[in-house]
Structure formats: C-alpha cells, structure tokens
C-alpha cells in the first residue's frame, strides 16, 4: 500500500474514539499498519472492525498490561515505528473542597504515567532500529487553566516536562518526541459532556461560542485537525523536530 506511512507500524492509544479514532483513520489512509489501544473493549472491537486495524484492549495504567500490549503489536507487525499517546481522562473538581488524593493519583496515572509506561516499553524496539517517532498529548488548559482542573492540568504539565527530557535522551538514537496541545475540540465526548437534550446542546453551543471569541480562526476545532498535525510530527521528513509543543487551538493562546 502506498502513502507517507507505508510499511510503518503505528500504535495509537485512546484510539477507539475522538481524536484517537480520527488519527488512526488518517494513518490507515496513508498506508500504515495501525494498532489502536483503548480500555473500552466494545469501542475497540467496533473501531478495529470499521478501520480494519489491529485492536488491543488494555489498561495503560498497569505496567504488565502495557508490556503485553507492546508485545502483541510487535508479534503482529514485527516492529513499532510510531507511538501516539492519546489515552487520558478529564475530570473537574474544585481542589480544596472536593478533590481527593485518590482523584489526583487517578489523573496522574491515566494522563501521565500511562504515557511514561508506553514510552518505556516501546523505546527499546525503536532504539534497536535507530528510528522512532513519539507524540504525546497535553492540553491547552496548561496555558489557560480553569477552576477545578488542578489534577488534570498537573498531569498534562507533567507530560510536557517528561517530553522535553526524553527528547534529550532519545535524540541520539534517531527517535523524536513531541507534544500536541489541543484547545477546545469538537469530539463526541465534548459535544455530549452535559447530556444529549436540547438544553444540554445549547449549553455546549454556548461554551464553544465563548471559546471562539478568543480564537483567531473562527470555527470549532475538529479531531481531524489534530490528526493532521500528529501525522506531520511523526512522518520521516520531520526528523529534525523534537522536544516541541505544537498548539492546536485556533490561535486562542495568542489572541
């Protein structure tokens, strides 16, 4: 099969829905062998069948499960060229009044530790071939924090720091690692986060309208916008870009 990623093996975590699904679809269109990884077994089965890709159900906060996932992909395809860390959770609780230590640890495990584990288990396969591309997701809330997001922003900020260090460590091995930082993106989760009634949809519409006031590009961000950027950062021609944070927010950070 032809395409920018022909003969490349790609792992997309959080790949059964939203930005992950759009990214997996984009890689398939460019000829890649794709493995989507998610904790939702039903969603993995549906997405894997729809895209004709390899699906793996795994809890990425479990070190043994991550190691087994990578082993399955290598056994299936013989290598890993690209890792896209999109798995994560979003939770909003006022820190002092409602946030718990357990809630903080859950946010760190799902958003930060899972990316660490995936990198740790994948990198040896990349080092052995002298080539690799890794992208991890942060969040625009790191620059534009909102009340109640202390655990989430702390975890996403951790991914930025980890990526900068790993860029130094992995560069000599021909491996690049970068961050994508989404703004408000119209995923299914966001569009239905307060329900599917007319009142709920009006609430979401209002949320997007307020966000668009601060964007230079006056439209909603789409999962495909992120997918295109991820493919750019992970193609062979982008091998001189590493340790960077690429923002996908329609210019809202600078408005």
């Amino acid at each position: 099969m032809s395409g920018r990623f022909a003969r490349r093996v790609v792992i997309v975590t959080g790949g059964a829905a939203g930005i992950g699904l759009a990214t997996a679809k984009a890689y398939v269109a460019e000829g890649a062998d794709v493995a989507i990884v998610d904790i939702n077994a039903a969603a993995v089965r549906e997405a894997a069948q729809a895209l004709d890709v390899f699906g793996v159900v795994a809890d990425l906060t479990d070190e043994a499960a991550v190691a087994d996932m990578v082993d399955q992909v290598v056994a299936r395809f013989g290598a890993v060229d690209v890792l896209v860390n999109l798995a994560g959770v979003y939770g909003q609780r006022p820190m002092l009044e409602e946030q718990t230590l357990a809630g903080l640890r859950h946010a760190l495990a799902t958003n930060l530790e899972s990316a660490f584990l995936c990198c740790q288990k994948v990198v040896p396969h990349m080092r052995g071939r002298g080539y690799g591309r890794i992208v991890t997701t942060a969040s625009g809330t790191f620059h534009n924090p909102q009340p109640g997001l202390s655990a989430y922003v702390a975890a996403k900020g951790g991914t930025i720091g980890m990526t900068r260090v790993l860029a130094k460590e992995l560069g000599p091995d021909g491996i690049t690692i970068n961050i994508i930082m989404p703004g408000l993106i119209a995923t299914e989760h966001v569009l239905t986060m307060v329900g599917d009634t007319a009142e709920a949809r009006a609430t979401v519409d209002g949320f997007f309208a307020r966000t668009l006031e601060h964007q230079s590009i006056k439209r909603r961000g789409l999962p495909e916008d992120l997918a295109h950027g991820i493919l750019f950062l992970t193609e062979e021609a982008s091998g001189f870009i590493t340790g960077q944070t690429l923002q996908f927010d329609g210019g809202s950070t600078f408005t």
Side-chain angles (χ1 to χ4, degrees):
M1 189 173 187
S2 62
R4 280 186 290 166
F5 290 88
R7 297 180 298 280
R8 294 297 188 192
V9 178
V10 180
I11 295 175
V12 181
T13 74
I19 296 168
L21 183 60
T23 301
K25 188 179 300 184
Y27 276 118
V28 169
E30 290 289 346
D33 292 320
V34 178
I36 59 170
V37 185
D38 206 291
I39 198 169
N40 186 326
V44 168
R45 286 194 298 270
E46 182 178 349
Q49 183 175 10
L51 298 181
D52 192 21
V53 299
F54 185 47
V56 182
V57 179
D59 177 357
L60 298 179
T61 67
D62 183 309
E63 184 174 5
V66 175
D68 180 66
M69 177 272 291
V70 174
D71 287 346
Q72 287 188 57
V73 174
V74 173
R76 177 70 174 259
F77 298 114
V80 180
D81 298 295
V82 177
L83 168 65
V84 183
N85 291 309
L86 293 175
V89 293
Y90 180 88
Q92 191 165 13
R93 287 184 177 182
M95 182 173 181
L96 297 180
E97 292 82 3
E98 298 179 22
Q99 185 58 271
T100 63
L101 183 58
L104 173 63
R105 287 172 173 165
H106 178 65
L108 291 172
T110 310
N111 294 296
L112 174 58
E113 293 175 17
S114 66
F116 164 79
L117 288 171
C118 287
C119 290
Q120 186 183 60
K121 305 308 179 186
V122 161
V123 161
H125 297 282
M126 294 179 172
R127 273 186 168 144
R129 303 170 68 236
Y131 180 91
R133 299 284 185 268
I134 301 172
V135 168
T136 299
T137 183
S139 170
T141 56
F142 180 77
H143 290 305
N144 184 27
Q146 303 296 320
L149 295 181
S150 55
Y152 179 75
V153 172
K156 292 301 187 180
T159 65
I160 297 171
M162 180 179 71
T163 293
R164 289 175 175 172
V165 174
L166 289 178
K168 294 284 190 181
E169 295 181 359
L170 301 179
D173 297 301
I175 302 169
T176 69
I177 179 167
N178 293 285
I179 287 282
I180 58 161
M181 183 176 281
L184 182 62
I185 305 298
T187 63
E188 288 183 12
H189 172 71
V190 169
L191 294 175
T192 60
M193 62 184 173
V194 293
D196 196 29
T197 64
E199 182 180 3
R201 287 191 291 274
T203 300
V204 172
D205 288 343
F207 189 26
F208 272 99
R210 290 190 297 275
T211 300
L212 288 173
E213 291 176 3
H214 302 284
Q215 286 185 195
S216 301
I217 299 171
K218 301 300 183 181
R219 67 167 176 82
R220 294 183 180 186
L222 302 174
E224 290 74 17
D225 293 319
L226 275 294
H228 294 317
I230 290 168
L231 265 65
F232 163 71
L233 288 172
T234 57
E235 64 183 348
E236 189 169 351
S238 297
F240 204 57
I241 303 171
T242 195
Q244 303 304 306
T245 299
L246 190 59
Q247 295 174 189
F248 291 81
D249 59 8
S252 63
T253 303
F254 307 105
T255 303

